[in-house]
Amino acid sequence: MPTVSGGFYRYRYAISKTAGGQVQPQASSDLASWNSRGLSQTLLSENEATATVELAVPAAGRIYTRLKADLPTYDPDMIKVAGGALPADSWAGAQRVDAFYIGKYEVQWSEWQSVRTWALGRGYAMGAGAGAGEEYPVTAVNWYDVLKWCNARSEQEGLAPVYTAGGAPYRTGEVVPQVSASAKGYRLPSEKEWEFAARGGVAARGYTYSGSNDINAVAWYDGNSGGATHVVGTKLANELGLFDLSGNVWEWCFDAYSGSSRVFWGGSWDYDAIFCRAAYRNYNSPGNQYYFLGFRVLRSSVP
């Protein structure tokens, strides 16, 4: 029930933030002509999970109110990472990191093939990639093709693509596209997002590798891989429930390292343990593709 003060009905709502998206307050006098005119909304308090707001509606007879939610849908294999800050010993210092959703697993060979097959008939051009089996990570994909694949998956699911070129979704060629910050689709992590997730986010326990100080517990690397990639998620997860952020395959990020080169993180099945540390970054040309290099996807928490 509302309180009445200063000629306004005043309501208080606790709005869940865990799903991201946008919430719009609306009012109606007849349950038909819903609108937001004449309303004011004041944020009273918030945390990572909820926001408490007060909605003021002019007290003019009987008024109905509702909250219209525009919530994005997320793959159940994506984990929400609450916002926080990287530690001071990060390569770039204690940067703030906003909340986001990230793939629980590296993108698998079956996923790559399915989206690519759909995309090739709709104006996309990207390489074939490679994989040792359906549930193994895709490899041999260059940075440009990974961005196009993210756009294709977005379009396939009815989401706005993140990457554009010449005012249209990035589908062909090898260019550095523009990034639409408001788009709801899939994208590569920034390297600060990747590192924050690998270190365990706000639940971080300061491990050397992603989820443990024992590399054999969480990573496939040259000391235990037998010279090959492995099915994703077969080692232990880190503090956030994310798998293979250390080892199995290196993972592309969006950021430039220097010049045209692009960053990747995580180490892989044929690299030494030192490269699998949660704090280790590497780089290469965006046009190159290797049998040890794949990726995982991310979506912004509040599109």
Side-chain angles (χ1 to χ4, degrees), residues 287-302:
N288 288 345
Q289 56 192 41
Y290 296 103
Y291 51 84
F292 51 72
L293 180 53
F295 70 106
R296 75 178 67 218
V297 293
L298 180 145
R299 287 180 67 187
S300 298
S301 177
V302 183

PDB file of all heavy atoms in Angstrom, residues 287-302:
ATOM      1  N   GLY A 287      45.329 -11.740 -36.879  1.00  0.00           N
ATOM      2  CA  GLY A 287      45.062 -12.590 -38.042  1.00  0.00           C
ATOM      3  C   GLY A 287      45.605 -14.000 -37.907  1.00  0.00           C
ATOM      4  O   GLY A 287      45.339 -14.860 -38.763  1.00  0.00           O
ATOM      5  N   ASN A 288      46.374 -14.265 -36.831  1.00  0.00           N
ATOM      6  CA  ASN A 288      46.965 -15.596 -36.654  1.00  0.00           C
ATOM      7  C   ASN A 288      45.997 -16.550 -35.969  1.00  0.00           C
ATOM      8  O   ASN A 288      45.147 -16.141 -35.177  1.00  0.00           O
ATOM      9  CB  ASN A 288      48.245 -15.500 -35.830  1.00  0.00           C
ATOM     10  CG  ASN A 288      49.382 -14.860 -36.600  1.00  0.00           C
ATOM     11  OD1 ASN A 288      49.326 -14.735 -37.825  1.00  0.00           O
ATOM     12  ND2 ASN A 288      50.417 -14.428 -35.897  1.00  0.00           N
ATOM     13  N   GLN A 289      46.151 -17.822 -36.260  1.00  0.00           N
ATOM     14  CA  GLN A 289      45.349 -18.859 -35.613  1.00  0.00           C
ATOM     15  C   GLN A 289      46.259 -20.023 -35.251  1.00  0.00           C
ATOM     16  O   GLN A 289      47.153 -20.383 -36.009  1.00  0.00           O
ATOM     17  CB  GLN A 289      44.209 -19.310 -36.529  1.00  0.00           C
ATOM     18  CG  GLN A 289      44.658 -19.802 -37.894  1.00  0.00           C
ATOM     19  CD  GLN A 289      43.509 -19.971 -38.859  1.00  0.00           C
ATOM     20  OE1 GLN A 289      42.601 -19.139 -38.913  1.00  0.00           O
ATOM     21  NE2 GLN A 289      43.527 -21.050 -39.620  1.00  0.00           N
ATOM     22  N   TYR A 290      46.026 -20.586 -34.076  1.00  0.00           N
ATOM     23  CA  TYR A 290      46.905 -21.624 -33.565  1.00  0.00           C
ATOM     24  C   TYR A 290      46.090 -22.764 -32.940  1.00  0.00           C
ATOM     25  O   TYR A 290      44.967 -22.562 -32.479  1.00  0.00           O
ATOM     26  CB  TYR A 290      47.843 -21.044 -32.497  1.00  0.00           C
ATOM     27  CG  TYR A 290      48.791 -19.994 -33.029  1.00  0.00           C
ATOM     28  CD1 TYR A 290      48.543 -18.643 -32.796  1.00  0.00           C
ATOM     29  CD2 TYR A 290      49.923 -20.341 -33.751  1.00  0.00           C
ATOM     30  CE1 TYR A 290      49.409 -17.667 -33.267  1.00  0.00           C
ATOM     31  CE2 TYR A 290      50.799 -19.368 -34.221  1.00  0.00           C
ATOM     32  CZ  TYR A 290      50.538 -18.039 -33.987  1.00  0.00           C
ATOM     33  OH  TYR A 290      51.396 -17.077 -34.464  1.00  0.00           O
ATOM     34  N   TYR A 291      46.711 -23.924 -32.874  1.00  0.00           N
ATOM     35  CA  TYR A 291      46.082 -25.106 -32.288  1.00  0.00           C
ATOM     36  C   TYR A 291      45.962 -25.023 -30.772  1.00  0.00           C
ATOM     37  O   TYR A 291      45.335 -25.853 -30.142  1.00  0.00           O
ATOM     38  CB  TYR A 291      46.885 -26.360 -32.663  1.00  0.00           C
ATOM     39  CG  TYR A 291      48.365 -26.233 -32.362  1.00  0.00           C
ATOM     40  CD1 TYR A 291      48.870 -26.498 -31.091  1.00  0.00           C
ATOM     41  CD2 TYR A 291      49.275 -25.835 -33.347  1.00  0.00           C
ATOM     42  CE1 TYR A 291      50.217 -26.360 -30.803  1.00  0.00           C
ATOM     43  CE2 TYR A 291      50.628 -25.692 -33.069  1.00  0.00           C
ATOM     44  CZ  TYR A 291      51.090 -25.958 -31.800  1.00  0.00           C
ATOM     45  OH  TYR A 291      52.425 -25.811 -31.512  1.00  0.00           O
ATOM     46  N   PHE A 292      46.563 -23.986 -30.157  1.00  0.00           N
ATOM     47  CA  PHE A 292      46.491 -23.830 -28.700  1.00  0.00           C
ATOM     48  C   PHE A 292      45.644 -22.619 -28.289  1.00  0.00           C
ATOM     49  O   PHE A 292      45.620 -22.243 -27.134  1.00  0.00           O
ATOM     50  CB  PHE A 292      47.895 -23.677 -28.092  1.00  0.00           C
ATOM     51  CG  PHE A 292      48.744 -22.616 -28.746  1.00  0.00           C
ATOM     52  CD1 PHE A 292      48.482 -21.262 -28.554  1.00  0.00           C
ATOM     53  CD2 PHE A 292      49.819 -22.977 -29.550  1.00  0.00           C
ATOM     54  CE1 PHE A 292      49.260 -20.286 -29.149  1.00  0.00           C
ATOM     55  CE2 PHE A 292      50.611 -21.999 -30.150  1.00  0.00           C
ATOM     56  CZ  PHE A 292      50.325 -20.649 -29.948  1.00  0.00           C
ATOM     57  N   LEU A 293      44.927 -21.989 -29.228  1.00  0.00           N
ATOM     58  CA  LEU A 293      44.259 -20.717 -28.952  1.00  0.00           C
ATOM     59  C   LEU A 293      42.783 -20.771 -29.303  1.00  0.00           C
ATOM     60  O   LEU A 293      42.405 -21.090 -30.438  1.00  0.00           O
ATOM     61  CB  LEU A 293      44.951 -19.609 -29.755  1.00  0.00           C
ATOM     62  CG  LEU A 293      44.434 -18.182 -29.624  1.00  0.00           C
ATOM     63  CD1 LEU A 293      44.363 -17.731 -28.178  1.00  0.00           C
ATOM     64  CD2 LEU A 293      45.331 -17.238 -30.432  1.00  0.00           C
ATOM     65  N   GLY A 294      41.923 -20.473 -28.314  1.00  0.00           N
ATOM     66  CA  GLY A 294      40.481 -20.429 -28.499  1.00  0.00           C
ATOM     67  C   GLY A 294      39.901 -19.190 -27.838  1.00  0.00           C
ATOM     68  O   GLY A 294      40.520 -18.129 -27.814  1.00  0.00           O
ATOM     69  N   PHE A 295      38.710 -19.312 -27.240  1.00  0.00           N
ATOM     70  CA  PHE A 295      38.082 -18.151 -26.601  1.00  0.00           C
ATOM     71  C   PHE A 295      36.872 -18.583 -25.784  1.00  0.00           C
ATOM     72  O   PHE A 295      36.418 -19.715 -25.863  1.00  0.00           O
ATOM     73  CB  PHE A 295      37.648 -17.120 -27.652  1.00  0.00           C
ATOM     74  CG  PHE A 295      36.482 -17.536 -28.520  1.00  0.00           C
ATOM     75  CD1 PHE A 295      35.217 -16.978 -28.333  1.00  0.00           C
ATOM     76  CD2 PHE A 295      36.637 -18.469 -29.543  1.00  0.00           C
ATOM     77  CE1 PHE A 295      34.134 -17.343 -29.128  1.00  0.00           C
ATOM     78  CE2 PHE A 295      35.563 -18.844 -30.356  1.00  0.00           C
ATOM     79  CZ  PHE A 295      34.319 -18.279 -30.146  1.00  0.00           C
ATOM     80  N   ARG A 296      36.356 -17.644 -24.965  1.00  0.00           N
ATOM     81  CA  ARG A 296      35.053 -17.798 -24.325  1.00  0.00           C
ATOM     82  C   ARG A 296      34.304 -16.475 -24.484  1.00  0.00           C
ATOM     83  O   ARG A 296      34.912 -15.444 -24.741  1.00  0.00           O
ATOM     84  CB  ARG A 296      35.158 -18.225 -22.862  1.00  0.00           C
ATOM     85  CG  ARG A 296      35.583 -17.175 -21.876  1.00  0.00           C
ATOM     86  CD  ARG A 296      35.594 -17.751 -20.464  1.00  0.00           C
ATOM     87  NE  ARG A 296      36.635 -18.764 -20.320  1.00  0.00           N
ATOM     88  CZ  ARG A 296      36.491 -19.893 -19.595  1.00  0.00           C
ATOM     89  NH1 ARG A 296      35.375 -20.109 -18.912  1.00  0.00           N
ATOM     90  NH2 ARG A 296      37.465 -20.776 -19.518  1.00  0.00           N
ATOM     91  N   VAL A 297      32.980 -16.519 -24.332  1.00  0.00           N
ATOM     92  CA  VAL A 297      32.175 -15.333 -24.598  1.00  0.00           C
ATOM     93  C   VAL A 297      31.737 -14.641 -23.318  1.00  0.00           C
ATOM     94  O   VAL A 297      31.724 -15.227 -22.228  1.00  0.00           O
ATOM     95  CB  VAL A 297      30.936 -15.674 -25.448  1.00  0.00           C
ATOM     96  CG1 VAL A 297      31.350 -16.111 -26.842  1.00  0.00           C
ATOM     97  CG2 VAL A 297      30.075 -16.736 -24.777  1.00  0.00           C
ATOM     98  N   LEU A 298      31.331 -13.399 -23.496  1.00  0.00           N
ATOM     99  CA  LEU A 298      30.878 -12.562 -22.382  1.00  0.00           C
ATOM    100  C   LEU A 298      29.677 -11.749 -22.859  1.00  0.00           C
ATOM    101  O   LEU A 298      29.522 -11.480 -24.052  1.00  0.00           O
ATOM    102  CB  LEU A 298      32.026 -11.644 -21.948  1.00  0.00           C
ATOM    103  CG  LEU A 298      31.807 -10.675 -20.793  1.00  0.00           C
ATOM    104  CD1 LEU A 298      33.095 -10.534 -19.998  1.00  0.00           C
ATOM    105  CD2 LEU A 298      31.362  -9.298 -21.306  1.00  0.00           C
ATOM    106  N   ARG A 299      28.817 -11.384 -21.924  1.00  0.00           N
ATOM    107  CA  ARG A 299      27.739 -10.418 -22.189  1.00  0.00           C
ATOM    108  C   ARG A 299      27.704  -9.397 -21.061  1.00  0.00           C
ATOM    109  O   ARG A 299      27.948  -9.750 -19.905  1.00  0.00           O
ATOM    110  CB  ARG A 299      26.379 -11.109 -22.301  1.00  0.00           C
ATOM    111  CG  ARG A 299      26.192 -11.895 -23.598  1.00  0.00           C
ATOM    112  CD  ARG A 299      24.823 -12.544 -23.647  1.00  0.00           C
ATOM    113  NE  ARG A 299      23.760 -11.549 -23.743  1.00  0.00           N
ATOM    114  CZ  ARG A 299      22.454 -11.873 -23.657  1.00  0.00           C
ATOM    115  NH1 ARG A 299      22.097 -13.133 -23.435  1.00  0.00           N
ATOM    116  NH2 ARG A 299      21.546 -10.948 -23.746  1.00  0.00           N
ATOM    117  N   SER A 300      27.416  -8.159 -21.415  1.00  0.00           N
ATOM    118  CA  SER A 300      27.314  -7.131 -20.395  1.00  0.00           C
ATOM    119  C   SER A 300      26.166  -7.434 -19.449  1.00  0.00           C
ATOM    120  O   SER A 300      25.141  -7.970 -19.854  1.00  0.00           O
ATOM    121  CB  SER A 300      27.112  -5.756 -21.039  1.00  0.00           C
ATOM    122  OG  SER A 300      28.218  -5.428 -21.844  1.00  0.00           O
ATOM    123  N   SER A 301      26.339  -7.082 -18.189  1.00  0.00           N
ATOM    124  CA  SER A 301      25.331  -7.392 -17.182  1.00  0.00           C
ATOM    125  C   SER A 301      24.084  -6.552 -17.355  1.00  0.00           C
ATOM    126  O   SER A 301      22.972  -7.024 -17.225  1.00  0.00           O
ATOM    127  CB  SER A 301      25.898  -7.155 -15.785  1.00  0.00           C
ATOM    128  OG  SER A 301      24.932  -7.390 -14.802  1.00  0.00           O
ATOM    129  N   VAL A 302      24.253  -5.264 -17.676  1.00  0.00           N
ATOM    130  CA  VAL A 302      23.114  -4.372 -17.872  1.00  0.00           C
ATOM    131  C   VAL A 302      23.237  -3.773 -19.257  1.00  0.00           C
ATOM    132  O   VAL A 302      23.926  -2.770 -19.448  1.00  0.00           O
ATOM    133  CB  VAL A 302      23.060  -3.260 -16.809  1.00  0.00           C
ATOM    134  CG1 VAL A 302      21.823  -2.394 -17.013  1.00  0.00           C
ATOM    135  CG2 VAL A 302      23.065  -3.865 -15.415  1.00  0.00           C
TER     136      VAL A 302
END
